[in-house]
Amino acid sequence: MSFTQKHLQHLHLRAGFGLIPSELKNKLQQDRETSVEKIFKASKSIQPLEFLEDPTKGKEVGDLRILFMLLKSEGKTQDLNCAWIEKMTVTSAQLREKMTLFWHNHFATSAPFAWLMQVQNNTLRKNALGSFRELLFAVAHDPAMIIYLNNQQNKKDAPNENFAREVMELFTLGEGNIYTEHDIKEAARAFTGWTVNKRGVFEFEEEEHDSGEKIFLGRTGNFTGDDILNIILEEKQTAYFITTKIYKHFVNAKVNTAHIEILAEEFYASDYDITALMQSIFLSDWFYDDENIGCIIISPVELIIRYKKLTALTFKNEKEMLKLQRVLGQVLFFPPNVAGWPGNTHWIDSTTLPLRLQMPYYILMQGGFNLQPKPEFEDVPETNVIAVKKAKVTSNWKSFAETYSSKNKTEITEHLIDVLVQSESKRINRTELERFAEATSADKEEYIIKSASYIMSLPEFQLI
C-alpha cells in the first residue's frame, strides 16, 4: 500500500494533534514505517507538566491550610488546564500527550485539589506509553483518584464500594463483564485502608484494612487491594476492554471484531505493553483503509489545539478559553462524571455544531467568540441563565498563507481541501468556495486565508 498525504495526515491526527502545512513537505518523503518510528521516538522522553508548586512542601498541613487549598483549587485547576493545552500545542511529543489525554478521560477524575490533579496528570503522562499494568497500579494508588472515588471513607467496619466498582466497571473489565455485585463487595473489603495523608500522599492504614478471607472472581484468599488488581489483570477481558476502547478512540467508533481479537490477544500476551499495541495499530494496513479515515468527530480540546497550531490562535484572557471548552462540551480536569466524556457523536448538538462551524468566522472576522455557557444543572431557572460574554482572540494566518503563495487559485483550492479535509471532499462546492474568496479578498494572501476559513467552516473539517 502506498503512503499518501492523506495517510500521513491521518496518522498525525490520530497519533497527535495534526500537522501544519509547512511540516508536510519534508514528512511526505517518509514511508509509513519511518513516520511511525519518528512519532514514537519523539515521544520517548517524558517532560512533566510543572506548572503548580506543591503547596504542602512535603510536610503535613493543618485543616485551615486544607480549607485554603480547597477554596483556591478551582482557579488553579483552570490555570493548569490552560498550561496543558499550551503543552499539547507546542510539544514534539505529540503521541505521549495524545495518550495522556486519552487516559485523562479513561481514568476521569476531578478532585478539588489542583496540585493533586497535576500529580495525576504527570502519572498518566509517565505511564502513557508504558505498561497498562503499571499505569493501573499507579492510578489506583493516586491521591486524586482515591479522594474522588471516596476510598478515604472505605474502612473495614464500613466498606465503601465506590472505588472497587469503578475499577472493574470503567477502568478494566467493563460494565457487567464477568464480575458480580458480590465481587464488588469483596474487592471493596480488599481496598479498605487505602487513603491519602495530610502531605497529599497515598498511605495504607493497616488498622482500617479488612485482612479477612475474601472470594473474588472465583479465587479465595486474604486478598489486599494489589491482589485484586493482579487478579483483574489475569483476566483476558481486561485486555479486550482496554483494546476496544483504544480502537474506538484512535481508529473507528465502529469496531471491527477481527481486528480487536488480534490486538487484544497481543496486548494480553505482551503483559499490557501500550507502546506495542499502538505500534500494531499505526503500522497495520487496515488503519489506513478509507473507512477509518475522516470518520471521527474531533473533540473540543483537539479542535482548539488544531486552531492554535494552524492559525496561532491565542486568547486575550486565557481563562476565556475554558468558557469555549465548556460551551463545546469538554473542560479538561472537569469531566462530567467518573465515566468521562462519551465522545464522537456526543460532541455534536444544536448548540455545539453551529459554534464549531462559526469558529473560523469568529476568529478571523470578529476577533472573538460570543459565548453563553450552559447552566451547570438542567433545572436552573431561565432567570439564572449565564449571560453572553465575548472571549477576545487574536490569530496569525501569515505562515499558513505563505505555504501556498506560489500557487494559482485553482491549485490553492485543491491544496487547501487536501490539507484540511480528511473525509470525503467531492461534495465540496469549489465554485462557491472560490466565488466567496474572490468576493471578500483584497489580495492573494487574503484569498488564501478566506479560502481556508471557508473550508474550516464546513462540517467536513470536524471529521479527522
Side-chain angles (χ1 to χ4, degrees):
M1 176 187 284
S2 61
F3 193 59
T4 65
Q5 178 180 324
K6 177 161 281 195
H7 293 155
L8 177 69
Q9 292 173 169
H10 174 58
L11 173 63
H12 280 268
L13 281 166
R14 300 296 177 85
F17 303 99
L19 297 169
I20 57 175
S22 59
E23 293 176 310
L24 269 174
K25 189 176 179 181
N26 290 335
K27 293 186 184 298
L28 279 171
Q29 309 303 316
Q30 300 167 3
D31 58 20
R32 182 200 307 176
E33 290 72 19
T34 303
S35 295
V36 172
E37 182 185 353
K38 285 182 176 294
I39 286 172
F40 278 88
K41 187 177 180 181
S43 287
K44 197 165 185 179
S45 65
I46 304 168
Q47 301 298 324
L49 186 58
E50 297 176 327
F51 183 76
L52 301 174
E53 293 184 2
D54 181 358
T56 72
K57 310 292 185 189
K59 300 177 181 176
E60 284 195 3
V61 294
D63 292 342
L64 191 61
R65 178 67 177 163
I66 291 174
L67 177 61
F68 179 77
M69 286 190 284
L70 283 168
L71 293 173
K72 291 286 186 181
S73 179
E74 183 173 351
K76 288 184 177 296
T77 305
Q78 291 174 350
D79 292 336
L80 190 63
N81 173 311
C82 297
W84 189 19
I85 292 277
E86 185 62 21
K87 184 177 181 66
M88 287 189 279
T89 303
V90 303
T91 183
S92 59
Q94 293 274 291
L95 176 59
R96 183 168 294 280
E97 291 306 316
K98 186 69 173 272
M99 293 301 299
T100 304
L101 182 60
F102 171 79
W103 295 122
H104 177 71
N105 190 34
H106 182 73
F107 294 109
T109 310
S110 188
F113 294 98
W115 163 249
L116 295 185
M117 291 308 299
Q118 178 173 286
V119 169
Q120 185 191 78
N121 186 260
N122 284 325
T123 295
L124 300 178
R125 182 171 292 103
K126 177 184 175 184
N127 295 282
L129 286 163
S131 161
F132 178 73
R133 175 184 295 279
E134 292 178 14
L135 174 60
L136 177 64
F137 272 77
V139 173
H141 292 79
D142 175 69
M145 179 62 79
I146 287 175
I147 291 171
Y148 184 54
L149 292 182
N150 313 113
N151 210 65
Q152 286 185 303
Q153 288 83 50
N154 189 15
K155 302 178 186 299
K156 63 181 178 183
D157 294 332
N160 184 309
E161 299 167 7
N162 201 13
F163 179 70
R165 182 181 300 280
E166 306 308 357
V167 164
M168 283 179 273
E169 182 174 312
L170 297 175
F171 303 160
T172 56
L173 298 170
E175 186 175 4
N177 291 317
I178 77 172
Y179 65 89
T180 65
E181 283 297 307
H182 182 73
D183 290 318
I184 292 172
K185 293 180 186 300
E186 294 291 85
R189 291 176 57 209
F191 287 118
T192 51
W194 287 29
T195 190
V196 179
N197 62 27
K198 290 192 173 183
R199 288 182 288 117
V201 176
F202 171 85
E203 189 166 277
F204 177 62
E205 292 182 333
E206 190 169 359
E207 64 277 14
E208 298 293 349
H209 177 65
D210 181 344
S211 58
E213 186 177 270
K214 306 160 188 87
I215 301 175
F216 179 71
L217 293 182
R219 286 86 155 174
T220 303
N222 298 79
F223 299 135
T224 64
D226 286 349
D227 292 330
I228 295 296
L229 297 179
N230 278 320
I231 291 171
I232 288 172
L233 290 165
E234 287 174 12
E235 298 290 342
K236 277 191 178 179
Q237 172 58 30
T238 299
Y240 274 77
F241 179 69
I242 299 300
T243 301
T244 302
K245 193 162 182 179
I246 283 178
Y247 188 95
K248 287 181 175 179
H249 188 86
F250 289 91
V251 183
N252 196 325
K254 294 179 181 176
V255 169
N256 182 312
T257 54
H259 297 159
I260 294 294
E261 182 79 20
I262 294 170
L263 291 170
E265 289 291 331
E266 290 177 351
F267 191 40
Y268 185 78
S270 71
D271 195 22
Y272 299 98
D273 185 333
I274 300 167
T275 285
L277 173 62
M278 301 312 295
Q279 286 175 334
S280 291
I281 291 172
F282 296 143
L283 287 170
S284 68
D285 285 343
W286 50 255
F287 178 70
Y288 302 92
D289 286 346
D290 288 346
E291 66 181 14
N292 294 326
I293 298 176
C295 64
I296 291 177
I297 298 172
I298 191 170
S299 72
V301 164
E302 290 174 87
L303 182 63
I304 292 170
I305 293 171
R306 198 169 187 207
Y307 274 112
K308 288 175 78 68
K309 287 169 70 76
L310 288 171
T311 71
L313 174 68
T314 57
F315 288 75
K316 188 174 182 181
N317 177 351
E318 272 201 326
K319 286 193 176 179
E320 297 289 343
M321 183 170 55
L322 277 87
K323 290 194 179 88
L324 179 59
Q325 291 177 40
R326 187 175 165 194
V327 175
L328 290 172
Q330 184 185 31
V331 185
L332 294 179
F333 299 108
F334 298 94
N337 52 54
V338 68
W341 297 277
N344 207 23
T345 55
H346 294 271
W347 295 130
I348 300 297
D349 60 28
S350 59
T351 300
T352 60
L353 182 58
L355 177 58
R356 280 174 176 249
L357 302 185
Q358 292 165 6
M359 280 179 73
Y361 176 75
Y362 284 133
I363 293 171
L364 192 61
M365 303 297 186
Q366 294 191 332
F369 299 94
N370 291 322
L371 300 174
Q372 186 172 24
K374 297 175 183 176
E376 295 279 5
F377 305 101
E378 292 182 358
D379 296 327
V380 171
E382 289 185 4
T383 52
N384 289 350
V385 170
I386 300 170
V388 176
K389 290 186 177 179
K390 187 155 189 167
K392 295 181 179 178
V393 299
T394 60
S395 60
N396 186 343
W397 302 63
K398 192 173 182 62
S399 173
F400 187 96
E402 284 177 351
T403 308
Y404 303 100
S405 58
S406 63
K407 310 292 183 186
N408 63 45
K409 290 184 177 178
T410 302
E411 290 173 332
I412 289 169
T413 299
E414 293 306 322
H415 277 277
L416 289 178
I417 290 174
D418 285 345
V419 80
L420 295 173
V421 176
Q422 286 295 98
S423 58
E424 178 56 65
S425 63
K426 288 181 181 175
R427 67 178 182 180
I428 295 177
N429 189 326
R430 271 75 170 167
T431 303
E432 187 176 309
L433 189 162
E434 290 169 2
R435 189 182 300 135
F436 166 81
E438 188 72 47
T440 57
S441 306
D443 54 33
K444 193 170 186 180
E445 180 180 298
E446 195 171 358
Y447 181 88
I448 295 169
I449 293 170
K450 293 291 177 59
S451 297
S453 67
Y454 180 97
I455 296 168
M456 290 173 178
S457 70
L458 299 174
E460 285 84 350
F461 182 68
Q462 304 299 320
L463 295 167
I464 62 171

